[in-house]
Each structure stands twice: as structure tokens, then as C-alpha cells.
Amino acid sequence: MTNNTIATHQIHATPPGDLAIWFFIFAELLAFGVFFVAYAFARAHNVALFNESQQHLNITSGAVNTLVLITSSYFMVRAVAAIKQGLSRECARWIAAAIGFGGIFLIIKLFEFHAKFSAGISLSTNTFYMFYLSLTIFHFMHVILGMVILAAVMLKARGGGYSAENHTGVETGASYWHMVDLLWIILFPLVYVIH
Amino acid sequence: MDIAHKPHFIRPCTIIWLLLMALTATTYAIGEAGVGGVAVMFIVLGSAAFKVQMVASYFMGLRRTRWLWRGIVLGWLVLVTGLITIAYLTTVK
């Protein structure tokens, strides 16, 4: 067994990337967790309203967006794999693909928001739409922030700023992006499907 | 590049990615069918919880870190999905 093989199978003391991003990720998980639980208990107090309002959501766009984010997240796995082999250009291309899929997510979401706002739906329409719009817009902002982070990492990777030995920045950006994906994986069934 | 030098996590992550896509398609089919009830809630929420755990373990790489880090995410997941389940069950007559 080579030293490299041993290194890949060892248990690391800290998660991949900068440790600071993990404290940020845990804070985000906490904030969204409170939001998810608040939604569930608000629904428990008005099941009929939530079930009726939920029927007007576009499950197809929610599901497609889930597939898009999961795939985008997988592209970041490939970006990390590429830089671990010292392939900066390939790493940058995978990150560009991840950003592109993030863009697709935003476009689909904008169409969804446009349809709702055109129908006169707003935060004050009812409790369900207050939660639906707040949660999805809050998540939407995180997707934008994630794309900005990934763009900065991509530019540095393209310029040869990372290597097989030094790629903490790529892992940091990837960790944040996976969190954005992870949150949507809960949000989609909770808001669009379960009734 | 010799394929032997490719990071070991690509293959399992590719399998996980395909599994996540399949589970999402299943959730979509359930949503489109418009079915509800306790059993459906358990399947859909359980599927989501499993997917989150797979993303955390494989995509985020937490399975190769100390238990503390995995425990924080797993604890969050159990707490959040547990409370969502309790909230749902309070509405079942």
C-alpha cells in the first residue's frame, strides 16, 4: 500500500476545507432547521390552509431544481477530485459547470416566483405563502452567495492558484455548496410534497 | 493521467449521485400522484433524511472525519426531521 492510499483512508481531525466555513455551515443549518420546524408546527395549526395552498405549487419545477442542485453538488465533488490530482484547468471546468447548474436553479426559481407574484400572491397572502416565499427566497440568496464563492474559487483555480497539495479553498467552496444542496433536499419534500 | 491515481471517492460519489437522482424521482412521483398520509410522510421524509446523510457523508466528506463533526450534522438531521414528524403526527386523527 502506498503512502497516498493510506492518506486517503485516514480519519481527519477536521472536516475538508477551512474550519471557519464549518462554523458558518452549522449556523446556517441551525437557522434553516428552526425555519423548517416552525413551518411544520405552523402547518399543524392550519392543515387545511397549508394543504390547499400547497396544491398551487409547481412540483415539477421543485423536483427538477432538486436534480439540478444535486448534480451541481456532484460537479463540485469532481472539482475537488481534479485538484487533488493537480489538474487546475479540469477543476475550474467542473466548478464552472457547478455554477452553470446553480444558474439553471435560479432561472427556474425566478419563473416560479414570477408566476406566484403575477397571481397576486405575496408574503401577506396567508401563512403558507409567508413560509413558502420566506424559505425559498432565503435559500435563493444562499444559492447566489454560493455561486459568488464558487466563481472566486474558479478564477483562482484557472490561474493555477491551487495545487494537489494546497487546495483548501476548493474544499471550502465545495463544502458551502453541498450545504446549499443539503438544505434544498429537506425543503423540497417539506414544502412541495408532504401533506 | 493514470486512472489508478484518481481519488478513491469518485466512484462511490458517482453511485451516490445516481441514487440521489433516483430517490428524487421517486419523491416527485409521490408528489405528482397527490397521495398523502402517515406512511407517505414517513417514506418521503425518510428518503430526504437519507439523502441528506449521503450528501454529508460522501459529498462533504464527513465520513472520513472524527465522530464529533459527523455527529453534529446527524444530530441536526435527527432533531429537525424528528420535530417535523411530531408536528405532522399531531394533525393525524
Side-chain angles (χ1 to χ4, degrees), chain A residues 78-92:
Chain A
R78 299 304 301 257
V80 171
I83 200 62
K84 283 189 172 180
Q85 296 170 82
L87 304 172
S88 294
R89 287 274 175 188
E90 189 178 320
C91 171

Side-chain angles (χ1 to χ4, degrees), chain B residues 4 9 19-20 26 34 36 49 51 53 57 63 73 79 82 85 93:
Chain B
F9 56 83
L19 180 62
L20 295 175
T26 306
K51 286 158 71 179
Q53 190 57 26
S57 296
R63 71 194 175 115
V73 175
L79 185 65
T85 303
K93 294 182 177 71

